[in-house]
């Protein structure tokens, strides 16, 4: 009989199963903590979003219904919300934030320089861009009443986004291959826009509290 056949079989270290258990415990504990903190620090959903004159533009119910529309048509397979979803279409939240910023920039350019935003010189554009960034970073949400006061001309800005997304879903050549008129009901389009405006707003304003959840903006 050879020497090799007389050797004892190799055994794993007794610490192997302990190390695996420790990694699992620490890993799952970290995941649970992150999940809890994510829910605790989630941006609020305003009970109502109002224009400067107090007119209600959309409500929390509209946002929830808009999310239902988003799921109903499987739009997560076309675009994304906060980067979560398919990559055929846009990030709906980022595109809405961009559109609203351009809307406000155009308004400020007309008021301050009496011309279109695209016709401003570099210095003027810098001034307007600074005002737009400051406006979006300002927290206009009142947690006591659950009311979000929209930016100036908030209703007109919201209506412009309803029109934008109506056109987006109308033409397959512009939306990554969705069926023509994939979302065509005016009520659903308005609710869907409310759902898009909410993450756009939450991405821009400065939240109170310490980092990493407070004082964060994505403008």
């Amino acid at each position: 009989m050879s020497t090799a056949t007389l050797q004892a079989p190799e055994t794993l270290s007794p610490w192997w199963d302990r190390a695996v258990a420790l990694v699992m415990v620490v890993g799952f504990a970290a995941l649970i903590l992150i999940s809890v903190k994510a829910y605790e620090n989630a941006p609020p959903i305003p009970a109502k979003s109002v224009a400067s004159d107090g007119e209600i533009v959309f409500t929390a119910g509209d946002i929830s219904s808009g999310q239902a529309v988003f799921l109903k048509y499987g739009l997560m397979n076309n675009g994304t919300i906060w980067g979560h979803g398919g990559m055929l279409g846009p990030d709906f939240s980022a595109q809405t934030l961009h559109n609203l910023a351009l809307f406000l920039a155009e308004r400020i350019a007309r008021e301050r320089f009496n011309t279109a935003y695209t016709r401003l010189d570099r210095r003027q554009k810098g001034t307007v861009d600074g005002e737009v960034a400051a406006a979006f970073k300002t927290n206009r949400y009142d947690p006591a009443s659950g009311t979000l006061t929209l930016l100036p001309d908030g209703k007109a800005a919201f209506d412009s986004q309803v029109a934008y997304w109506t056109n987006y879903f109308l033409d397959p050549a512009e939306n990554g291959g969705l069926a023509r008129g994939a979302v065509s009901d005016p009520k659903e389009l308005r609710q869907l826009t409310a759902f898009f405006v909410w993450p756009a707003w939450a991405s821009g304003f400065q939240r109170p509290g310490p980092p990493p959840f407070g004082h964060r903006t994505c403008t």
Side-chain angles (χ1 to χ4, degrees):
M1 185 177 294
S2 66
T3 305
T5 59
L6 297 177
Q7 291 179 344
E10 294 184 1
T11 58
L12 293 175
S13 167
W15 285 97
W16 173 254
D17 54 350
R18 301 174 191 175
V20 171
L22 179 62
V23 170
M24 290 184 63
V25 169
V26 173
F28 279 106
L31 289 174
I32 292 172
L33 178 62
I34 292 172
S35 299
V36 170
K37 288 297 182 181
Y39 278 98
E40 287 181 349
N41 295 280
I45 299 178
K48 59 182 179 180
S49 298
V50 303
S52 300
D53 60 1
E55 179 183 0
I56 296 177
V57 180
F58 59 91
T59 65
D62 292 323
I63 296 173
S64 296
S65 296
Q67 184 181 30
V69 173
F70 184 81
L71 298 173
K72 173 183 176 181
Y73 293 102
L75 298 180
M76 72 293 295
N77 296 321
N78 174 255
T80 73
I81 294 290
W82 284 334
H84 301 287
M87 300 303 295
L88 296 175
D91 183 310
F92 298 110
S93 46
Q95 185 63 52
T96 301
L97 178 60
H98 177 71
N99 293 347
L100 292 172
L102 288 178
F103 183 94
L104 182 58
E106 184 67 25
R107 179 182 184 274
I108 295 174
R110 296 284 182 182
E111 288 182 349
R112 296 199 57 170
F113 302 106
N114 197 33
T115 188
Y117 176 73
T118 55
R119 300 185 64 180
L120 298 177
D121 61 35
R122 184 175 179 180
R123 180 187 60 80
Q124 292 171 330
K125 274 192 174 183
T127 299
V128 173
D129 290 347
E131 290 190 25
V132 170
F136 274 89
K137 290 178 182 179
T138 301
N139 188 351
R140 294 179 170 82
Y141 175 68
D142 178 13
S145 64
T147 300
L148 170 65
T149 301
L150 300 174
L151 293 169
D153 283 346
K155 185 177 186 304
F158 180 81
D159 290 341
S160 74
Q161 294 315 292
V162 174
Y164 178 89
W165 292 114
T166 297
N167 292 331
Y168 174 84
F169 292 112
L170 182 64
D171 187 359
E174 300 295 330
N175 61 30
L178 291 172
R180 183 174 297 279
V183 187
S184 57
D185 181 84
K187 182 178 180 180
E188 289 187 333
L189 284 163
R190 194 167 188 85
Q191 292 170 336
L192 187 61
T193 301
F195 177 57
F196 291 165
V197 169
W198 169 69
W201 160 73
S203 297
F205 81 104
Q206 282 191 319
R207 299 177 59 184
F213 297 102
H215 303 293
R216 299 189 70 179
T217 60
C218 298
T219 54

